[in-house]
Amino acid sequence: KGEVGTDGKKKVKKEPEEKWKWWEEERYTDGVKWKFLEHKGPVFAPAYEPLPSNIKFYYDGKPMKLSLGAEEVGTFFAKMKVLIFRNFFNISLESETSLLLSQRPGRPCLRRRSRYPTPSKNKEENERILQEYGFCVMDNHKERIANFRIEPPGLFRGRGDHPKMGMLKRRIRPEDIIINCSKDSQHPKPPPGTKWKEVRHDNKVTWLVSWTENIQGAIKYIMLNPSSRIKGEKDWQKYETARRLKKCVDRLRAQYRDDWKSKEMRIRQRAVALYFIDKLALRAGNEKEEGETADTVGCCSLRVEHITLHPEKDGKEYVVEFDFLGKDSIRYYNKVPVEKRVFKNLQLFMENKQPEDDLFDRLNTTILNKHLQELMDGLTAKVFRTYNASITLQQQLKELTSPEDNVPAKILSYNRANRAVAILCNHQRAPPKTFEKSMQNLQSKIDAKKEQLSDAKRELKSAKADAKVRRDEKSKKAVECKKKAVQRVEEQLMKLEVQATDREENKQIALGTSKLNYLDPRISVAWCKKWGIPVEKIYNKTQREKFAWAIDMADEDFEF
DNA sequence: GGGCGAACTTAGTATTGGAATG
DNA sequence: CATTCCAATACTAAGTTCGCCC
């Protein structure tokens, strides 16, 4: 092998090490996650660098000396203010500059600053840290760590209307850190003069490092990359569970439809909730502590105020209008015609209730999941989301792919199938700030290409006329050449137009989440193999690493 | 069964890297 | 060479599930 480099010497292409196929190996049973685990511990947030002494903090117009900690928190506040200014003036829309607040007291004044204050000199250092801390050894393999950096301190900003927004997220010290590794490994060393909170050797869990965060009191973890064996196995298992649901979903659906008629209220509520989870791909909806988090809901935690019943709406009977904030305070809005029995049940559940009362007052996620567990081993509410997402992709791909389409058109179909899933799962995004502009840019590219096409066509015409007169080989060849040019430009134009359609349809829809978390990758791989689409067109490098098991395993006949 | 801690998955957005463009 | 642009990546919040304790 080996290519010839620009210097004329033969470049020796190193044959990559044989990739480890963990999916061909036996799996652990009994809850053991690993036998050996060695790592270097976390990378701490860089220490706070005090401001130069000529920059002062003013209170009541007078300079005031702050403790280092107070000064640091002050800079957090200032940063947030700058951010608010920037967003208020929508600066990023105009150019890639950020704003600095004037240091002078009482004189807010904005200065522009280039995005590149120092040309990426940190790149090398980052690479070094990645090599040192970004990998661990788990059982006999070097594996990539997902998040080896400790979260830096700052002001907490939750999503949506979060009651704790603005609280100080404190700096994490070695004394806060629990290390998990195997006894017989080289234990990570805490920074000089410090100690870990604890070093433990628990091989029933997958995390390497943990600490408790001070805003919610939740535990944070450092874990492995999605390409790792430990994550990949779990992911594969998830899709296998969803495929088992496929085998019995008809029975389950018949069951919950039957339960709509139950004389027990709790069973009716359970059955209607399950119907929503199945039909609308709603999340389970755990209870949340009031005042601790933003007020968001899922299926079991829906309140009366989140639905409106319309006996008739837009020419349809028994329409339920949903309007609530789900995970990450993303709005779910949908008008759904439902069976009469569901409608009547909902009326019953809402009787004599206030808007802020629970719709399903006899139900919660624990009760629902206990029931599901009895119906199928390993079944929980979220399996329905995985199942419905994956089956929808498979159906849509079948429906939308035209054999006679070229590659870009087929990829548009793939993205449309993906989009159908994203809409089902309500995966939304804020339209990119530069969306309009980038659409305009694309449109002018299209216009230019159209111009180019008509030029090419004109040239072809004159070449044809020329050939008719001269009737020689050379002019015939010229005609062929021009024909090919027209074809080439037509293809390029089509590609651009497909790209524009795709982008427009994607304005407020996020495909990534479903692609990464809900769609059995074997469906996509099989589709690629069936239609001769390179898998790189569907999955980027990271995604190919995460789904290596599927790319290796699935052939074109794979059925979810 | 209710409360709670722990572990792990899922989520949208901010930042970055590097190619394209001027 | 600087700037613009977009895809990829980094980040970390916000969910679900499970097991344990009472």
Side-chain angles (χ1 to χ4, degrees), chain A residues 292-305:
Chain A
E292 292 292 305
T293 60
D295 178 19
T296 64
V297 297
C299 186
C300 294
S301 51
L302 279 170
R303 298 191 296 261
V304 169
E305 60 195 329

Side-chain angles (χ1 to χ4, degrees), chain A residues 48 87 108 110 144 147 201 207 288 329 356 372 376 396 428 446 462 471 478 501 507 542:
Chain A
Y48 174 66
N87 287 336
L110 305 173
R144 178 85 191 268
N147 56 325
H201 312 290
W207 54 267
K288 307 169 78 186
S329 294
E356 62 276 16
L372 293 176
M376 186 195 105
Q396 288 288 304
Q428 301 189 34
I446 289 173
S462 75
R471 297 182 168 279
T501 309
K507 183 173 180 180
T542 313

